[in-house]
mmCIF file of all heavy atoms in Angstrom:
data_model
loop_
_atom_site.group_PDB
_atom_site.id
_atom_site.type_symbol
_atom_site.label_atom_id
_atom_site.label_comp_id
_atom_site.label_asym_id
_atom_site.label_seq_id
_atom_site.Cartn_x
_atom_site.Cartn_y
_atom_site.Cartn_z
ATOM 1 N N ILE A 148 -1.958 -28.444 18.637
ATOM 2 C CA ILE A 148 -2.745 -28.920 17.493
ATOM 3 C C ILE A 148 -2.353 -30.348 17.127
ATOM 4 O O ILE A 148 -3.204 -31.199 16.842
ATOM 5 C CB ILE A 148 -2.556 -27.970 16.292
ATOM 6 C CG1 ILE A 148 -3.226 -26.627 16.585
ATOM 7 C CG2 ILE A 148 -3.139 -28.572 15.018
ATOM 8 C CD1 ILE A 148 -2.983 -25.577 15.532
ATOM 9 N N GLU A 149 -1.057 -30.622 17.129
ATOM 10 C CA GLU A 149 -0.600 -31.979 16.820
ATOM 11 C C GLU A 149 -1.133 -32.986 17.832
ATOM 12 O O GLU A 149 -1.491 -34.114 17.486
ATOM 13 C CB GLU A 149 0.925 -32.011 16.791
ATOM 14 C CG GLU A 149 1.522 -31.258 15.602
ATOM 15 C CD GLU A 149 3.034 -31.213 15.662
ATOM 16 O OE1 GLU A 149 3.591 -31.609 16.712
ATOM 17 O OE2 GLU A 149 3.660 -30.781 14.674
ATOM 18 N N SER A 150 -1.224 -32.544 19.091
ATOM 19 C CA SER A 150 -1.776 -33.423 20.123
ATOM 20 C C SER A 150 -3.253 -33.727 19.850
ATOM 21 O O SER A 150 -3.710 -34.863 19.993
ATOM 22 C CB SER A 150 -1.608 -32.775 21.502
ATOM 23 O OG SER A 150 -2.221 -33.555 22.499
ATOM 24 N N ILE A 151 -3.993 -32.677 19.439
ATOM 25 C CA ILE A 151 -5.415 -32.874 19.126
ATOM 26 C C ILE A 151 -5.573 -33.822 17.944
ATOM 27 O O ILE A 151 -6.436 -34.713 17.934
ATOM 28 C CB ILE A 151 -6.079 -31.513 18.824
ATOM 29 C CG1 ILE A 151 -6.120 -30.659 20.090
ATOM 30 C CG2 ILE A 151 -7.489 -31.706 18.277
ATOM 31 C CD1 ILE A 151 -6.590 -29.247 19.857
ATOM 32 N N LEU A 152 -4.716 -33.659 16.922
ATOM 33 C CA LEU A 152 -4.798 -34.532 15.752
ATOM 34 C C LEU A 152 -4.527 -35.993 16.118
ATOM 35 O O LEU A 152 -5.127 -36.908 15.542
ATOM 36 C CB LEU A 152 -3.794 -34.068 14.694
ATOM 37 C CG LEU A 152 -4.142 -32.759 13.963
ATOM 38 C CD1 LEU A 152 -2.992 -32.322 13.078
ATOM 39 C CD2 LEU A 152 -5.396 -32.925 13.135
ATOM 40 N N ARG A 153 -3.633 -36.201 17.062
ATOM 41 C CA ARG A 153 -3.362 -37.574 17.485
ATOM 42 C C ARG A 153 -4.538 -38.161 18.252
ATOM 43 O O ARG A 153 -4.811 -39.360 18.174
ATOM 44 C CB ARG A 153 -2.108 -37.608 18.369
ATOM 45 C CG ARG A 153 -0.805 -37.401 17.598
ATOM 46 C CD ARG A 153 0.387 -37.750 18.471
ATOM 47 N NE ARG A 153 0.459 -36.921 19.667
ATOM 48 C CZ ARG A 153 1.130 -35.780 19.727
ATOM 49 N NH1 ARG A 153 1.793 -35.334 18.668
ATOM 50 N NH2 ARG A 153 1.160 -35.085 20.843
ATOM 51 N N ASP A 154 -5.258 -37.315 18.993
ATOM 52 C CA ASP A 154 -6.352 -37.808 19.823
ATOM 53 C C ASP A 154 -7.648 -37.991 19.047
ATOM 54 O O ASP A 154 -8.493 -38.803 19.419
ATOM 55 C CB ASP A 154 -6.602 -36.845 20.995
ATOM 56 C CG ASP A 154 -5.420 -36.816 21.951
ATOM 57 O OD1 ASP A 154 -4.641 -37.791 21.922
ATOM 58 O OD2 ASP A 154 -5.281 -35.837 22.692
ATOM 59 N N SER A 155 -7.837 -37.219 18.004
ATOM 60 C CA SER A 155 -9.108 -37.299 17.281
ATOM 61 C C SER A 155 -8.858 -37.222 15.781
ATOM 62 O O SER A 155 -8.270 -36.265 15.292
ATOM 63 C CB SER A 155 -10.047 -36.156 17.708
ATOM 64 O OG SER A 155 -11.211 -36.166 16.927
ATOM 65 N N LYS A 156 -9.289 -38.224 15.060
ATOM 66 C CA LYS A 156 -9.114 -38.275 13.616
ATOM 67 C C LYS A 156 -10.028 -37.304 12.887
ATOM 68 O O LYS A 156 -9.826 -37.002 11.718
ATOM 69 C CB LYS A 156 -9.384 -39.702 13.101
ATOM 70 C CG LYS A 156 -8.426 -40.747 13.641
ATOM 71 C CD LYS A 156 -7.008 -40.490 13.163
ATOM 72 C CE LYS A 156 -6.063 -41.571 13.641
ATOM 73 N NZ LYS A 156 -4.680 -41.324 13.198
ATOM 74 N N ARG A 157 -11.082 -36.809 13.555
ATOM 75 C CA ARG A 157 -12.043 -35.932 12.892
ATOM 76 C C ARG A 157 -11.621 -34.469 12.938
ATOM 77 O O ARG A 157 -12.285 -33.625 12.360
ATOM 78 C CB ARG A 157 -13.425 -36.076 13.542
ATOM 79 C CG ARG A 157 -14.056 -37.437 13.294
ATOM 80 C CD ARG A 157 -15.408 -37.522 13.973
ATOM 81 N NE ARG A 157 -16.325 -36.526 13.443
ATOM 82 C CZ ARG A 157 -17.036 -36.669 12.338
ATOM 83 N NH1 ARG A 157 -16.913 -37.763 11.604
ATOM 84 N NH2 ARG A 157 -17.858 -35.735 11.925
ATOM 85 N N VAL A 158 -10.511 -34.178 13.649
ATOM 86 C CA VAL A 158 -10.035 -32.802 13.723
ATOM 87 C C VAL A 158 -8.923 -32.625 12.705
ATOM 88 O O VAL A 158 -7.995 -33.429 12.665
ATOM 89 C CB VAL A 158 -9.524 -32.468 15.144
ATOM 90 C CG1 VAL A 158 -8.952 -31.057 15.173
ATOM 91 C CG2 VAL A 158 -10.648 -32.598 16.145
ATOM 92 N N GLY A 159 -9.004 -31.602 11.862
ATOM 93 C CA GLY A 159 -7.979 -31.370 10.850
ATOM 94 C C GLY A 159 -7.709 -29.885 10.671
ATOM 95 O O GLY A 159 -8.614 -29.072 10.747
ATOM 96 N N VAL A 160 -6.459 -29.510 10.472
ATOM 97 C CA VAL A 160 -6.068 -28.135 10.189
ATOM 98 C C VAL A 160 -5.383 -28.130 8.837
ATOM 99 O O VAL A 160 -4.318 -28.724 8.678
ATOM 100 C CB VAL A 160 -5.114 -27.584 11.272
ATOM 101 C CG1 VAL A 160 -4.700 -26.165 10.929
ATOM 102 C CG2 VAL A 160 -5.787 -27.642 12.635
ATOM 103 N N ARG A 161 -6.012 -27.510 7.842
ATOM 104 C CA ARG A 161 -5.488 -27.549 6.487
ATOM 105 C C ARG A 161 -5.186 -26.148 5.995
ATOM 106 O O ARG A 161 -5.603 -25.162 6.592
ATOM 107 C CB ARG A 161 -6.487 -28.244 5.553
ATOM 108 C CG ARG A 161 -6.915 -29.634 6.029
ATOM 109 C CD ARG A 161 -7.807 -30.295 4.980
ATOM 110 N NE ARG A 161 -8.218 -31.613 5.415
ATOM 111 C CZ ARG A 161 -9.350 -31.860 6.079
ATOM 112 N NH1 ARG A 161 -10.160 -30.868 6.376
ATOM 113 N NH2 ARG A 161 -9.653 -33.081 6.448
ATOM 114 N N GLY A 162 -4.486 -26.093 4.869
ATOM 115 C CA GLY A 162 -4.108 -24.798 4.330
ATOM 116 C C GLY A 162 -5.187 -24.194 3.461
ATOM 117 O O GLY A 162 -6.135 -23.594 3.939
ATOM 118 N N GLY A 163 -5.067 -24.381 2.138
ATOM 119 C CA GLY A 163 -6.012 -23.781 1.215
ATOM 120 C C GLY A 163 -7.133 -24.724 0.829
ATOM 121 O O GLY A 163 -7.347 -25.779 1.436
ATOM 122 N N PHE A 164 -7.851 -24.328 -0.236
ATOM 123 C CA PHE A 164 -9.005 -25.114 -0.676
ATOM 124 C C PHE A 164 -8.597 -26.506 -1.134
ATOM 125 O O PHE A 164 -9.340 -27.471 -0.944
ATOM 126 C CB PHE A 164 -9.710 -24.362 -1.816
ATOM 127 C CG PHE A 164 -10.757 -25.171 -2.517
ATOM 128 C CD1 PHE A 164 -11.990 -25.411 -1.920
ATOM 129 C CD2 PHE A 164 -10.517 -25.714 -3.774
ATOM 130 C CE1 PHE A 164 -12.961 -26.162 -2.563
ATOM 131 C CE2 PHE A 164 -11.476 -26.462 -4.417
ATOM 132 C CZ PHE A 164 -12.705 -26.690 -3.806
ATOM 133 N N LYS A 165 -7.409 -26.640 -1.728
ATOM 134 C CA LYS A 165 -6.996 -27.936 -2.279
ATOM 135 C C LYS A 165 -6.962 -29.025 -1.209
ATOM 136 O O LYS A 165 -7.374 -30.166 -1.449
ATOM 137 C CB LYS A 165 -5.631 -27.826 -2.946
ATOM 138 C CG LYS A 165 -5.208 -29.096 -3.693
ATOM 139 C CD LYS A 165 -3.890 -28.921 -4.404
ATOM 140 C CE LYS A 165 -3.573 -30.159 -5.239
ATOM 141 N NZ LYS A 165 -3.551 -31.396 -4.451
ATOM 142 N N SER A 166 -6.471 -28.694 -0.019
ATOM 143 C CA SER A 166 -6.401 -29.716 1.028
ATOM 144 C C SER A 166 -7.802 -30.169 1.444
ATOM 145 O O SER A 166 -8.040 -31.356 1.691
ATOM 146 C CB SER A 166 -5.635 -29.172 2.233
ATOM 147 O OG SER A 166 -6.242 -28.009 2.727
ATOM 148 N N TYR A 167 -8.768 -29.238 1.485
ATOM 149 C CA TYR A 167 -10.149 -29.615 1.809
ATOM 150 C C TYR A 167 -10.772 -30.414 0.666
ATOM 151 O O TYR A 167 -11.552 -31.341 0.903
ATOM 152 C CB TYR A 167 -10.972 -28.354 2.097
ATOM 153 C CG TYR A 167 -10.660 -27.721 3.426
ATOM 154 C CD1 TYR A 167 -9.645 -26.783 3.554
ATOM 155 C CD2 TYR A 167 -11.377 -28.072 4.568
ATOM 156 C CE1 TYR A 167 -9.354 -26.200 4.769
ATOM 157 C CE2 TYR A 167 -11.094 -27.493 5.790
ATOM 158 C CZ TYR A 167 -10.079 -26.562 5.883
ATOM 159 O OH TYR A 167 -9.793 -26.003 7.096
#
Side-chain angles (χ1 to χ4, degrees):
I148 291 174
E149 290 175 351
S150 176
I151 293 173
L152 288 173
R153 287 193 299 269
D154 294 339
S155 175
K156 297 295 183 181
R157 292 179 62 83
V158 176
V160 179
R161 306 185 180 93
F164 170 75
K165 187 177 185 303
S166 58
Y167 286 88

